[in-house]
Amino acid sequence: MITYPLNRFYYNATDAELFHCTRNSGIYASDDFVCTVTGADNNVTIGTGIGWIRNSKFSGKVIAQKSDVVLDLGLADASFNRWDIVAIQFDKNNNATDLVVKHGTPASTPVRPEIVQTETLYELYLAAFYRKAGATTITADDVYDL
């Protein structure tokens, strides 16, 4: 039986995950990972924040972003609207967590990309962006906090 933490014991990451799996997946506070846009380009800024991922019954991760990150969402489709998503993505196979942009499929009635939440690939969606056909910028009206 594992008891965590105790003095004079060495713990590995798997043991520490037991402590973090007691939390539900999510973002710590409403002012964490705030998304801002300038309205002048296709860039979005994701602010600092803390969150948790519970990717299995006995596995949990703490996520901390200590500085702002600027992401380029790229150009909108010329003919159809689409949804783009910015997500925190934990990849167990690569032992890494990153911010990723997931582009939706352009369509006359677009839908948001599907979220992935498995033990080996786990996403927390931060914001959705409604990309109007032919748009050259992202404005605050295009941003949806998730």
Side-chain angles (χ1 to χ4, degrees), residues 70-136:
V70 177
L71 299 171
D72 184 353
L73 269 58
L75 297 174
D77 186 77
S79 303
F80 293 101
N81 299 333
R82 77 166 188 250
W83 283 100
D84 289 343
I85 300 287
V86 168
I88 296 170
Q89 185 182 75
F90 166 69
D91 184 339
K92 183 176 180 177
N93 294 328
N94 290 320
N95 201 31
T97 304
D98 291 303
L99 286 174
V100 297
V101 176
K102 294 181 71 172
H103 297 289
T105 302
S108 55
T109 308
V111 296
R112 293 180 183 168
E114 292 290 322
I115 194 167
V116 178
Q117 292 185 330
T118 68
E119 184 174 353
T120 57
L121 189 65
Y122 198 100
E123 297 172 336
L124 290 176
Y125 279 6
L126 299 177
F129 306 88
Y130 192 72
R131 308 297 308 276
K132 297 176 187 94
T136 58

Side-chain angles (χ1 to χ4, degrees), residues 14-19 21 54-61:
T14 303
D15 297 328
E17 284 187 308
L18 291 170
F19 174 75
C21 76
R54 183 177 187 227
N55 60 310
S56 77
K57 183 174 183 176
F58 296 113
S59 297
K61 316 288 183 286

Side-chain angles (χ1 to χ4, degrees), residues 23 25-33 49-52 63 124:
R23 295 180 173 98
S25 294
I27 304 304
Y28 179 70
S30 63
D31 62 348
D32 283 342
F33 301 105
I50 298 173
W52 291 275
I63 301 154
L124 290 176

Side-chain angles (χ1 to χ4, degrees), residues 28-68:
Y28 179 70
S30 63
D31 62 348
D32 283 342
F33 301 105
V34 171
C35 175
T36 57
V37 296
T38 64
D41 53 26
N42 290 302
N43 292 335
V44 299
T45 301
I46 306 298
T48 61
I50 298 173
W52 291 275
I53 289 176
R54 183 177 187 227
N55 60 310
S56 77
K57 183 174 183 176
F58 296 113
S59 297
K61 316 288 183 286
V62 174
I63 301 154
Q65 180 170 287
K66 294 183 175 183
S67 59
D68 292 354

